[in-house]
Amino acid sequence: MELPPPLPRAFHARSAIDLAPALIGTLLLHDVDGMILAGTIVETEAYLGPADRASHARAGRTRRTGPMFGPPGHAYVYRLYGMHWAFNVVAHTEDEEAGAVLVRAVLPVAGIEEQRRRRGRPTDRAERLAAGPARLCQALGISGEDGGRDLVAGPPLWIAAGTATGALLQGPRVNVAYAGDPWAALPLRFGLAGSPSLSRGFPGAASPASRRTTGGPDE
DNA sequence: TGATTGATGTACT
DNA sequence: GTACATCAATCAC
């Protein structure tokens, strides 16, 4: 398998609001000891700078959130609930202080058996192996060691153009009620309509957004 | 120095 | 539908 080249820095150098939908349909790849674990991104959420009460950047720049304030196209990986990892792509404009896109779900496309093994759920359907932010980190072998990694530099961890197309779903972000109005209700979550790999449904997003994802003629 | 809190997933009723 | 595992970062004194 020919490894697809990473998308350039310019792809990531925009507001998380813009990158989140653009990432739907692209490929997330991880080279682990020569084994490629990869999936098509089907669900993302945008987190903005300090003004966003749902964003980790709300407390300003700290040790944990440092990468969110750094150059776009890098990984921001953090521990969640003391036991899970979550993977973000740093994204913001020159004018924005910070921002990142949480990748919530991928459809596994390479190294599926290894992903199943890493999940420890040998009977799970491939479509559900990485249907959730913590699940995808476990399936693709992403952990704290990957925090700060440059996703534009190619292996071991990078993002490449994908071929998936389809309508986009848009809705409120998941589990951010603590942020209060208006942040908890803003439609900053994006998903590939009809994908079997979404982490959960899209309440309040009945009609697909009129947009296409990147790429060609394939599903 | 101590207390609270999650950008979740799994098991169970 | 509910309970709960588990801990670094952050917040309250």
Side-chain angles (χ1 to χ4, degrees):
Chain A
M1 162 185 177
E2 189 79 9
L3 294 181
L7 289 162
R9 184 90 50 210
F11 179 81
H12 303 286
R14 50 178 144 172
S15 175
I17 294 177
D18 298 321
L19 181 64
L23 279 174
I24 302 294
T26 62
L27 282 174
L28 174 60
L29 303 103
H30 193 194
D31 182 336
V32 183
D33 299 327
M35 185 176 311
I36 301 300
L37 308 177
T40 300
I41 295 175
V42 299
E43 183 181 338
T44 59
E45 285 178 357
Y47 288 86
L48 310 179
D52 180 356
R53 303 314 290 169
S55 172
H56 289 164
R58 66 187 180 275
R61 187 174 197 149
T62 67
R63 179 184 226 90
R64 177 176 63 153
T65 64
M68 284 186 77
F69 291 77
H74 288 249
Y76 168 47
V77 180
Y78 63 90
R79 209 188 244 300
L80 181 61
Y81 295 106
M83 63 196 102
H84 303 302
W85 295 106
F87 169 79
N88 299 249
V89 181
V90 175
H92 53 83
T93 65
E94 294 267 341
D95 294 335
E96 295 169 327
E97 257 193 279
V101 175
L102 171 67
V103 180
R104 289 187 54 87
V106 306
L107 170 64
V109 296
I112 292 174
E113 276 313 309
E114 174 66 9
Q115 294 188 43
R116 233 190 295 263
R117 192 189 69 73
R118 285 171 177 272
R119 286 280 297 134
R121 302 185 68 80
T123 60
D124 271 15
R125 295 162 56 222
E127 298 81 28
R128 303 304 299 167
L129 283 176
R135 289 178 178 186
L136 86 84
C137 284
Q138 193 177 15
L140 298 184
I142 296 171
S143 72
E145 297 173 21
D146 298 296
R149 213 158 236 161
D150 189 355
L151 303 171
V152 171
L157 187 63
W158 74 109
I159 290 170
T163 54
T165 59
L168 287 190
L169 298 172
Q170 191 173 359
R173 295 173 291 185
V174 174
N175 284 344
V176 295
Y178 60 86
D181 272 355
W183 301 102
L186 293 178
L188 296 179
R189 176 180 177 221
F190 301 88
L192 182 61
S195 170
S197 300
L198 296 176
S199 67
R200 48 170 296 183
F202 268 76
S207 61
S210 57
R211 245 197 101 138
R212 294 212 134 233
T213 62
T214 47
D218 204 313
E219 155 77 83

